[in-house]
Amino acid sequence: MIHTSIKSGLVPLIIGFAITAISSIGAVQGQGDDNWPQWRGPHRNGIAETKPTLDRWPAQGPKQLWVSSEGGLGYSGFAVVEGRLFTMGQENNRQFVVCLDAETGSQIWLTETGRGYENDFGGGPRSTPTIDDEFLFALDANGVLVCLRTDSGREVWKTDLKQYGGEIPSWGYSESVLIDGDQLICTPGGMQGAIMAFDKHSGEKKWQMSGNTEVAHYSSISKADIQGSPQYIQLMNKSILGVAPNGELLWSSDWPGAYAVIPSPIIHENKVYVTSGYGIGSKQIEIQPENEVEFKWFNKVMKNHHGGAILLDGHVYGYSDSVGWICQDWQSGEIVWRNRNDLGKGAIGYGDGKFICVAEDSGEIVMIKADSSGWDELGRFTLEPQTERRKPSGKIWVHPVVVNGRLYLRDQELIHCYDIRADE
């Protein structure tokens, strides 16, 4: 398996199964400032706690620091911790986890997880690795779950969600697993119980819930304190679930999902917000004491397919199918503003008071002010180069990540890094 980096001075690396590079970096810590240790960041809310970034981009866009061609095919997002970038990809019908130097794009190690996954919209993994101190946890599209050492990529343990009643969803397993204390929480789906926990150290099963046997969809589970008690919140195809740390189903609320339910739930002050595309809409509920569910509102203002939605200062931002880029009031669910002309459908990221919006068709990248008063554009450029290997039905679907004054973007095997730090 041969991987190259589009950067002067980097020599192509020939790497086989689980061969790792020597590194002087010690254990990776995932909880420090300005790290992005998992899907949607430290708190799984899409909010980057980053150094100050440019208030406006130059006309040609921010400075591109490097482009790596070592990401492999797929739609895996980024975890960036202590100067290392972790993601997943696929080459030669094998899925893998790869670690790059976040400052140079050079490959540090690569470890295979198993056979490849193919789909009309593009093969390869969809999940983002989760970093917890010196360990990495990753789920490939076939449901193979691995624990690796972050310093070397050495495998600690491996299991398969299909052993626990799960079936590969129509577009592959896509959840980014959650680490909570000693537990790894994920959603195999199926008749043995939709949600389960593993011991993160050994990979042994700790529990598998009863009370819901829906098949796995594509949302990633989140943890929240609801009325002072910890819970895991997950969006399934036909329900929203609250699950105790021991696997007990605490509450459930109906959801009219269709085809693919993808965005992660948003949780704030005992309220849970969910959205999905295919014309469905968005809904907010409030969890009362004794886990009673109070309906707040449901409408079709936000119909977010898979580009994500971010709650900031009492408003939800993202792209709504057939509506455009929108700002939605958190309390009422009503639309505050929309823009359907300046950028096509895509994914959203956040850092330092600005949203980064990525158009999935064109690869246009737009920075706007994070402001409920309207769409205020602060810069624009087009992602270059773009892959020549994307399937005709595939698009630029990986969410942007801002960390340590860097903007990371991906189009299949091509991973881009831009310098967006403000002058010191």
Side-chain angles (χ1 to χ4, degrees), residues 9-64:
L10 293 182
V11 179
L13 300 176
I14 302 175
I15 300 182
F17 180 81
I19 294 178
T20 60
I22 297 173
S23 172
S24 61
I25 299 177
V28 174
Q29 301 298 315
Q31 303 303 319
D33 292 339
D34 219 355
N35 282 317
W36 194 265
Q38 60 179 332
W39 168 243
R40 288 174 58 83
H43 306 291
R44 292 208 162 197
N45 59 3
I47 302 295
E49 300 169 358
T50 188
K51 294 178 179 178
T53 60
L54 294 169
D55 289 332
R56 289 188 179 272
W57 288 341
Q60 70 276 16
K63 179 181 178 182
Q64 186 180 78

Tab-separated table of all heavy atoms in Angstrom, residues 9-64:
chain	number	residue	atom	x	y	z
A	9	GLY	N	9.426	17.866	-0.211
A	9	GLY	CA	10.305	17.331	0.802
A	9	GLY	C	9.790	16.093	1.488
A	9	GLY	O	10.484	15.497	2.308
A	10	LEU	N	8.541	15.645	1.201
A	10	LEU	CA	8.012	14.442	1.822
A	10	LEU	C	8.246	13.265	0.901
A	10	LEU	O	7.928	13.316	-0.278
A	10	LEU	CB	6.519	14.593	2.120
A	10	LEU	CG	6.164	15.632	3.183
A	10	LEU	CD1	4.663	15.627	3.393
A	10	LEU	CD2	6.876	15.346	4.483
A	11	VAL	N	8.776	12.206	1.426
A	11	VAL	CA	9.072	11.015	0.646
A	11	VAL	C	7.913	10.047	0.768
A	11	VAL	O	7.382	9.841	1.858
A	11	VAL	CB	10.372	10.340	1.171
A	11	VAL	CG1	10.676	9.082	0.377
A	11	VAL	CG2	11.534	11.311	1.083
A	12	PRO	N	7.463	9.439	-0.316
A	12	PRO	CA	6.399	8.460	-0.224
A	12	PRO	C	6.747	7.362	0.769
A	12	PRO	O	7.877	6.892	0.830
A	12	PRO	CB	6.299	7.906	-1.657
A	12	PRO	CG	6.820	9.015	-2.515
A	12	PRO	CD	7.898	9.678	-1.717
A	13	LEU	N	5.749	6.963	1.529
A	13	LEU	CA	5.919	5.923	2.532
A	13	LEU	C	5.262	4.646	2.067
A	13	LEU	O	4.123	4.670	1.607
A	13	LEU	CB	5.285	6.369	3.871
A	13	LEU	CG	5.863	7.636	4.485
A	13	LEU	CD1	5.076	7.984	5.741
A	13	LEU	CD2	7.326	7.455	4.805
A	14	ILE	N	5.969	3.538	2.189
A	14	ILE	CA	5.405	2.241	1.857
A	14	ILE	C	5.102	1.539	3.164
A	14	ILE	O	6.002	1.215	3.928
A	14	ILE	CB	6.376	1.409	1.014
A	14	ILE	CG1	6.727	2.187	-0.265
A	14	ILE	CG2	5.789	0.061	0.672
A	14	ILE	CD1	7.763	1.507	-1.113
A	15	ILE	N	3.831	1.328	3.393
A	15	ILE	CA	3.412	0.830	4.695
A	15	ILE	C	2.476	-0.343	4.523
A	15	ILE	O	1.506	-0.267	3.793
A	15	ILE	CB	2.701	1.942	5.503
A	15	ILE	CG1	3.667	3.105	5.709
A	15	ILE	CG2	2.235	1.419	6.840
A	15	ILE	CD1	3.108	4.223	6.513
A	16	GLY	N	2.732	-1.422	5.208
A	16	GLY	CA	1.875	-2.601	5.188
A	16	GLY	C	0.995	-2.626	6.396
A	16	GLY	O	0.835	-1.623	7.093
A	17	PHE	N	0.470	-3.780	6.678
A	17	PHE	CA	-0.498	-3.935	7.761
A	17	PHE	C	0.126	-3.604	9.109
A	17	PHE	O	1.079	-4.234	9.555
A	17	PHE	CB	-1.027	-5.370	7.780
A	17	PHE	CG	-2.034	-5.607	8.859
A	17	PHE	CD1	-3.348	-5.224	8.676
A	17	PHE	CD2	-1.672	-6.182	10.061
A	17	PHE	CE1	-4.288	-5.438	9.660
A	17	PHE	CE2	-2.605	-6.395	11.051
A	17	PHE	CZ	-3.911	-6.023	10.851
A	18	ALA	N	-0.431	-2.565	9.742
A	18	ALA	CA	-0.072	-2.183	11.110
A	18	ALA	C	1.411	-1.882	11.300
A	18	ALA	O	1.933	-2.022	12.396
A	18	ALA	CB	-0.519	-3.251	12.103
A	19	ILE	N	2.126	-1.457	10.239
A	19	ILE	CA	3.507	-1.034	10.412
A	19	ILE	C	3.494	0.405	10.904
A	19	ILE	O	2.782	1.239	10.369
A	19	ILE	CB	4.286	-1.149	9.095
A	19	ILE	CG1	4.410	-2.626	8.698
A	19	ILE	CG2	5.670	-0.535	9.218
A	19	ILE	CD1	5.121	-2.850	7.400
A	20	THR	N	4.296	0.702	11.898
A	20	THR	CA	4.243	2.023	12.510
A	20	THR	C	5.590	2.710	12.458
A	20	THR	O	6.636	2.088	12.348
A	20	THR	CB	3.803	1.916	13.987
A	20	THR	OG1	4.764	1.096	14.663
A	20	THR	CG2	2.435	1.278	14.094
A	21	ALA	N	5.528	4.042	12.531
A	21	ALA	CA	6.753	4.834	12.499
A	21	ALA	C	7.224	5.138	13.903
A	21	ALA	O	6.433	5.224	14.843
A	21	ALA	CB	6.496	6.137	11.750
A	22	ILE	N	8.533	5.300	14.052
A	22	ILE	CA	9.106	5.663	15.336
A	22	ILE	C	8.812	7.116	15.610
A	22	ILE	O	8.976	7.982	14.769
A	22	ILE	CB	10.626	5.413	15.328
A	22	ILE	CG1	10.906	3.918	15.130
A	22	ILE	CG2	11.275	5.905	16.607
A	22	ILE	CD1	12.371	3.609	14.940
A	23	SER	N	8.397	7.420	16.838
A	23	SER	CA	8.043	8.795	17.181
A	23	SER	C	8.492	9.102	18.585
A	23	SER	O	8.481	8.238	19.456
A	23	SER	CB	6.537	9.002	17.060
A	23	SER	OG	6.175	10.272	17.553
A	24	SER	N	8.861	10.359	18.822
A	24	SER	CA	9.296	10.775	20.152
A	24	SER	C	8.149	11.318	20.974
A	24	SER	O	8.322	11.650	22.143
A	24	SER	CB	10.384	11.850	20.023
A	24	SER	OG	9.880	12.993	19.359
A	25	ILE	N	6.964	11.406	20.393
A	25	ILE	CA	5.814	11.956	21.112
A	25	ILE	C	5.279	10.924	22.080
A	25	ILE	O	5.106	9.756	21.737
A	25	ILE	CB	4.709	12.373	20.136
A	25	ILE	CG1	5.251	13.466	19.210
A	25	ILE	CG2	3.487	12.875	20.877
A	25	ILE	CD1	4.260	13.899	18.162
A	26	GLY	N	4.996	11.323	23.302
A	26	GLY	CA	4.485	10.409	24.306
A	26	GLY	C	2.986	10.243	24.196
A	26	GLY	O	2.397	10.442	23.141
A	27	ALA	N	2.374	9.894	25.316
A	27	ALA	CA	0.936	9.645	25.328
A	27	ALA	C	0.176	10.904	24.929
A	27	ALA	O	0.503	12.006	25.354
A	27	ALA	CB	0.499	9.199	26.717
A	28	VAL	N	-0.837	10.722	24.100
A	28	VAL	CA	-1.663	11.839	23.661
A	28	VAL	C	-2.720	12.122	24.712
A	28	VAL	O	-3.417	11.222	25.166
A	28	VAL	CB	-2.323	11.504	22.312
A	28	VAL	CG1	-3.308	12.593	21.917
A	28	VAL	CG2	-1.252	11.345	21.242
A	29	GLN	N	-2.856	13.360	25.092
A	29	GLN	CA	-3.905	13.758	26.028
A	29	GLN	C	-5.048	14.377	25.244
A	29	GLN	O	-4.833	15.277	24.435
A	29	GLN	CB	-3.365	14.756	27.055
A	29	GLN	CG	-2.211	14.207	27.878
A	29	GLN	CD	-2.602	13.009	28.687
A	29	GLN	OE1	-3.652	12.997	29.331
A	29	GLN	NE2	-1.771	11.977	28.664
A	30	GLY	N	-6.268	13.927	25.472
A	30	GLY	CA	-7.380	14.362	24.655
A	30	GLY	C	-8.211	15.479	25.226
A	30	GLY	O	-9.147	15.933	24.599
A	31	GLN	N	-7.887	15.939	26.444
A	31	GLN	CA	-8.806	16.857	27.096
A	31	GLN	C	-8.259	18.266	27.276
A	31	GLN	O	-8.863	19.079	27.942
A	31	GLN	CB	-9.203	16.277	28.471
A	31	GLN	CG	-9.818	14.883	28.396
A	31	GLN	CD	-11.034	14.823	27.503
A	31	GLN	OE1	-11.862	15.723	27.527
A	31	GLN	NE2	-11.157	13.771	26.726
A	32	GLY	N	-7.092	18.578	26.720
A	32	GLY	CA	-6.518	19.899	26.892
A	32	GLY	C	-7.227	20.948	26.059
A	32	GLY	O	-8.093	20.659	25.239
A	33	ASP	N	-6.811	22.203	26.259
A	33	ASP	CA	-7.365	23.298	25.467
A	33	ASP	C	-6.966	23.135	24.012
A	33	ASP	O	-5.885	22.648	23.688
A	33	ASP	CB	-6.874	24.635	26.002
A	33	ASP	CG	-7.430	24.948	27.384
A	33	ASP	OD1	-8.474	24.353	27.729
A	33	ASP	OD2	-6.825	25.748	28.098
A	34	ASP	N	-7.830	23.594	23.127
A	34	ASP	CA	-7.525	23.635	21.704
A	34	ASP	C	-7.193	22.265	21.130
A	34	ASP	O	-6.302	22.116	20.294
A	34	ASP	CB	-6.384	24.607	21.428
A	34	ASP	CG	-6.637	25.398	20.141
A	34	ASP	OD1	-7.623	25.102	19.456
A	34	ASP	OD2	-5.844	26.289	19.833
A	35	ASN	N	-7.862	21.247	21.599
A	35	ASN	CA	-7.814	19.922	21.000
A	35	ASN	C	-9.203	19.584	20.466
A	35	ASN	O	-10.212	20.177	20.874
A	35	ASN	CB	-7.381	18.863	22.012
A	35	ASN	CG	-5.884	18.868	22.258
A	35	ASN	OD1	-5.092	18.979	21.325
A	35	ASN	ND2	-5.480	18.750	23.509
A	36	TRP	N	-9.243	18.633	19.561
A	36	TRP	CA	-10.502	18.180	18.957
A	36	TRP	C	-10.487	16.651	19.010
A	36	TRP	O	-10.189	15.985	18.034
A	36	TRP	CB	-10.586	18.705	17.524
A	36	TRP	CG	-11.923	18.625	16.869
A	36	TRP	CD1	-12.376	17.627	16.043
A	36	TRP	CD2	-12.991	19.582	16.955
A	36	TRP	NE1	-13.652	17.913	15.611
A	36	TRP	CE2	-14.054	19.104	16.158
A	36	TRP	CE3	-13.142	20.787	17.630
A	36	TRP	CZ2	-15.255	19.797	16.009
A	36	TRP	CZ3	-14.333	21.468	17.488
A	36	TRP	CH2	-15.368	20.978	16.683
A	37	PRO	N	-10.793	16.070	20.192
A	37	PRO	CA	-10.506	14.649	20.406
A	37	PRO	C	-11.546	13.686	19.853
A	37	PRO	O	-11.341	12.468	19.960
A	37	PRO	CB	-10.432	14.540	21.931
A	37	PRO	CG	-11.368	15.607	22.415
A	37	PRO	CD	-11.222	16.744	21.434
A	38	GLN	N	-12.626	14.176	19.282
A	38	GLN	CA	-13.683	13.280	18.841
A	38	GLN	C	-14.613	14.017	17.879
A	38	GLN	O	-14.448	15.198	17.588
A	38	GLN	CB	-14.479	12.771	20.047
A	38	GLN	CG	-15.148	13.885	20.842
A	38	GLN	CD	-15.942	13.397	22.020
A	38	GLN	OE1	-16.457	12.288	22.039
A	38	GLN	NE2	-16.057	14.240	23.044
A	39	TRP	N	-15.607	13.284	17.406
A	39	TRP	CA	-16.649	13.829	16.548
A	39	TRP	C	-17.287	15.057	17.183
A	39	TRP	O	-17.704	15.024	18.345
A	39	TRP	CB	-17.697	12.736	16.302
A	39	TRP	CG	-18.974	13.150	15.673
A	39	TRP	CD1	-20.218	13.064	16.245
A	39	TRP	CD2	-19.180	13.671	14.344
A	39	TRP	NE1	-21.178	13.515	15.370
A	39	TRP	CE2	-20.562	13.893	14.184
A	39	TRP	CE3	-18.316	13.976	13.294
A	39	TRP	CZ2	-21.110	14.394	13.012
A	39	TRP	CZ3	-18.853	14.476	12.121
A	39	TRP	CH2	-20.240	14.673	11.991
A	40	ARG	N	-17.334	16.165	16.443
A	40	ARG	CA	-17.936	17.429	16.878
A	40	ARG	C	-17.245	18.047	18.092
A	40	ARG	O	-17.797	18.887	18.775
A	40	ARG	CB	-19.438	17.262	17.138
A	40	ARG	CG	-20.207	17.105	15.830
A	40	ARG	CD	-21.685	16.789	16.036
A	40	ARG	NE	-22.412	17.776	16.809
A	40	ARG	CZ	-22.929	18.894	16.323
A	40	ARG	NH1	-22.800	19.179	15.048
A	40	ARG	NH2	-23.586	19.731	17.112
A	41	GLY	N	-15.998	17.639	18.367
A	41	GLY	CA	-15.182	18.336	19.330
A	41	GLY	C	-15.281	17.857	20.758
A	41	GLY	O	-15.922	16.844	21.059
A	42	PRO	N	-14.648	18.591	21.691
A	42	PRO	CA	-14.548	18.139	23.081
A	42	PRO	C	-15.882	17.835	23.738
A	42	PRO	O	-15.973	16.919	24.563
A	42	PRO	CB	-13.848	19.332	23.770
A	42	PRO	CG	-13.095	20.012	22.688
A	42	PRO	CD	-13.923	19.856	21.450
A	43	HIS	N	-16.916	18.597	23.407
A	43	HIS	CA	-18.224	18.426	24.042
A	43	HIS	C	-19.290	17.908	23.071
A	43	HIS	O	-20.478	17.959	23.371
A	43	HIS	CB	-18.673	19.754	24.668
A	43	HIS	CG	-17.657	20.337	25.611
A	43	HIS	ND1	-17.347	19.764	26.820
A	43	HIS	CD2	-16.858	21.430	25.488
A	43	HIS	CE1	-16.410	20.482	27.422
A	43	HIS	NE2	-16.095	21.491	26.630
A	44	ARG	N	-18.853	17.443	21.905
A	44	ARG	CA	-19.759	16.915	20.883
A	44	ARG	C	-20.846	17.909	20.483
A	44	ARG	O	-21.973	17.529	20.142
A	44	ARG	CB	-20.394	15.587	21.334
A	44	ARG	CG	-19.397	14.454	21.428
A	44	ARG	CD	-20.003	13.085	21.203
A	44	ARG	NE	-18.914	12.140	20.884
A	44	ARG	CZ	-19.085	10.955	20.333
A	44	ARG	NH1	-20.301	10.541	20.023
A	44	ARG	NH2	-18.058	10.175	20.075
A	45	ASN	N	-20.507	19.185	20.513
A	45	ASN	CA	-21.493	20.213	20.154
A	45	ASN	C	-21.061	21.039	18.945
A	45	ASN	O	-21.740	21.997	18.576
A	45	ASN	CB	-21.752	21.132	21.346
A	45	ASN	CG	-20.499	21.841	21.834
A	45	ASN	OD1	-19.416	21.710	21.259
A	45	ASN	ND2	-20.634	22.582	22.921
A	46	GLY	N	-19.914	20.703	18.337
A	46	GLY	CA	-19.447	21.428	17.165
A	46	GLY	C	-18.730	22.726	17.461
A	46	GLY	O	-18.356	23.455	16.536
A	47	ILE	N	-18.513	23.041	18.747
A	47	ILE	CA	-17.914	24.312	19.147
A	47	ILE	C	-16.418	24.128	19.389
A	47	ILE	O	-16.000	23.339	20.241
A	47	ILE	CB	-18.579	24.864	20.424
A	47	ILE	CG1	-20.085	25.056	20.202
A	47	ILE	CG2	-17.909	26.151	20.863
A	47	ILE	CD1	-20.437	26.102	19.185
A	48	ALA	N	-15.597	24.858	18.634
A	48	ALA	CA	-14.151	24.807	18.786
A	48	ALA	C	-13.694	25.890	19.749
A	48	ALA	O	-14.043	27.060	19.591
A	48	ALA	CB	-13.466	24.986	17.436
A	49	GLU	N	-12.915	25.489	20.732
A	49	GLU	CA	-12.297	26.438	21.660
A	49	GLU	C	-10.878	26.689	21.158
A	49	GLU	O	-9.909	26.128	21.659
A	49	GLU	CB	-12.313	25.861	23.074
A	49	GLU	CG	-13.728	25.563	23.570
A	49	GLU	CD	-13.757	24.743	24.844
A	49	GLU	OE1	-12.661	24.370	25.322
A	49	GLU	OE2	-14.850	24.473	25.355
A	50	THR	N	-10.764	27.546	20.155
A	50	THR	CA	-9.516	27.695	19.434
A	50	THR	C	-8.864	29.043	19.685
A	50	THR	O	-9.491	29.967	20.220
A	50	THR	CB	-9.760	27.513	17.920
A	50	THR	OG1	-8.522	27.461	17.220
A	50	THR	CG2	-10.618	28.648	17.371
A	51	LYS	N	-7.602	29.146	19.290
A	51	LYS	CA	-6.905	30.424	19.340
A	51	LYS	C	-7.612	31.424	18.421
A	51	LYS	O	-8.340	31.029	17.515
A	51	LYS	CB	-5.454	30.230	18.893
A	51	LYS	CG	-4.626	29.366	19.830
A	51	LYS	CD	-3.222	29.179	19.282
A	51	LYS	CE	-2.389	28.322	20.231
A	51	LYS	NZ	-1.029	28.087	19.708
A	52	PRO	N	-7.371	32.734	18.625
A	52	PRO	CA	-7.996	33.725	17.734
A	52	PRO	C	-7.670	33.445	16.270
A	52	PRO	O	-6.543	33.092	15.924
A	52	PRO	CB	-7.379	35.044	18.205
A	52	PRO	CG	-7.019	34.801	19.632
A	52	PRO	CD	-6.593	33.364	19.705
A	53	THR	N	-8.669	33.603	15.427
A	53	THR	CA	-8.516	33.349	14.004
A	53	THR	C	-8.786	34.624	13.210
A	53	THR	O	-9.315	35.606	13.736
A	53	THR	CB	-9.471	32.242	13.529
A	53	THR	OG1	-10.823	32.645	13.773
A	53	THR	CG2	-9.207	30.932	14.267
A	54	LEU	N	-8.412	34.595	11.938
A	54	LEU	CA	-8.591	35.754	11.068
A	54	LEU	C	-10.042	36.232	11.073
A	54	LEU	O	-10.964	35.419	10.979
A	54	LEU	CB	-8.189	35.405	9.645
A	54	LEU	CG	-6.709	35.098	9.390
A	54	LEU	CD1	-6.526	34.520	7.995
A	54	LEU	CD2	-5.866	36.351	9.572
A	55	ASP	N	-10.225	37.542	11.177
A	55	ASP	CA	-11.573	38.099	11.109
A	55	ASP	C	-12.104	38.096	9.681
A	55	ASP	O	-13.310	38.011	9.460
A	55	ASP	CB	-11.590	39.522	11.659
A	55	ASP	CG	-11.408	39.544	13.169
A	55	ASP	OD1	-11.783	38.568	13.828
A	55	ASP	OD2	-10.858	40.534	13.674
A	56	ARG	N	-11.177	38.204	8.723
A	56	ARG	CA	-11.550	38.109	7.310
A	56	ARG	C	-10.459	37.355	6.579
A	56	ARG	O	-9.286	37.415	6.954
A	56	ARG	CB	-11.734	39.493	6.667
A	56	ARG	CG	-12.976	40.215	7.138
A	56	ARG	CD	-13.234	41.487	6.354
A	56	ARG	NE	-14.446	42.141	6.827
A	56	ARG	CZ	-15.660	41.874	6.368
A	56	ARG	NH1	-15.813	40.972	5.396
A	56	ARG	NH2	-16.725	42.496	6.857
A	57	TRP	N	-10.849	36.636	5.535
A	57	TRP	CA	-9.872	35.946	4.724
A	57	TRP	C	-9.413	36.839	3.576
A	57	TRP	O	-10.199	37.661	3.066
A	57	TRP	CB	-10.476	34.667	4.143
A	57	TRP	CG	-10.685	33.581	5.151
A	57	TRP	CD1	-10.091	33.468	6.373
A	57	TRP	CD2	-11.545	32.450	5.016
A	57	TRP	NE1	-10.521	32.329	7.014
A	57	TRP	CE2	-11.420	31.689	6.202
A	57	TRP	CE3	-12.407	32.000	4.010
A	57	TRP	CZ2	-12.124	30.498	6.404
A	57	TRP	CZ3	-13.105	30.826	4.205
A	57	TRP	CH2	-12.967	30.078	5.388
A	58	PRO	N	-8.168	36.671	3.125
A	58	PRO	CA	-7.738	37.363	1.902
A	58	PRO	C	-8.616	36.951	0.723
A	58	PRO	O	-9.307	35.933	0.765
A	58	PRO	CB	-6.301	36.880	1.711
A	58	PRO	CG	-5.876	36.346	3.046
A	58	PRO	CD	-7.124	35.836	3.707
A	59	ALA	N	-8.532	37.730	-0.350
A	59	ALA	CA	-9.386	37.474	-1.516
A	59	ALA	C	-9.183	36.071	-2.072
A	59	ALA	O	-10.138	35.429	-2.538
A	59	ALA	CB	-9.095	38.515	-2.600
A	60	GLN	N	-7.962	35.565	-2.011
A	60	GLN	CA	-7.680	34.239	-2.540
A	60	GLN	C	-7.901	33.141	-1.498
A	60	GLN	O	-7.688	31.959	-1.780
A	60	GLN	CB	-6.239	34.171	-3.058
A	60	GLN	CG	-5.171	34.202	-1.981
A	60	GLN	CD	-4.810	35.599	-1.523
A	60	GLN	OE1	-5.550	36.549	-1.777
A	60	GLN	NE2	-3.684	35.739	-0.858
A	61	GLY	N	-8.329	33.520	-0.298
A	61	GLY	CA	-8.530	32.564	0.766
A	61	GLY	C	-7.326	32.492	1.687
A	61	GLY	O	-6.276	33.089	1.418
A	62	PRO	N	-7.425	31.779	2.809
A	62	PRO	CA	-6.303	31.673	3.743
A	62	PRO	C	-5.158	30.859	3.151
A	62	PRO	O	-5.328	30.131	2.166
A	62	PRO	CB	-6.922	30.966	4.949
A	62	PRO	CG	-8.066	30.191	4.392
A	62	PRO	CD	-8.597	31.008	3.251
A	63	LYS	N	-3.992	30.971	3.756
A	63	LYS	CA	-2.802	30.273	3.285
A	63	LYS	C	-2.957	28.766	3.452
A	63	LYS	O	-3.262	28.280	4.538
A	63	LYS	CB	-1.573	30.752	4.047
A	63	LYS	CG	-0.287	30.053	3.635
A	63	LYS	CD	0.891	30.555	4.453
A	63	LYS	CE	2.176	29.835	4.085
A	63	LYS	NZ	3.318	30.299	4.908
A	64	GLN	N	-2.733	28.039	2.376
A	64	GLN	CA	-2.761	26.583	2.447
A	64	GLN	C	-1.391	26.105	2.916
A	64	GLN	O	-0.372	26.385	2.294
A	64	GLN	CB	-3.093	25.982	1.085
A	64	GLN	CG	-3.270	24.477	1.106
A	64	GLN	CD	-3.610	23.921	-0.268
A	64	GLN	OE1	-2.736	23.775	-1.110
A	64	GLN	NE2	-4.893	23.642	-0.494
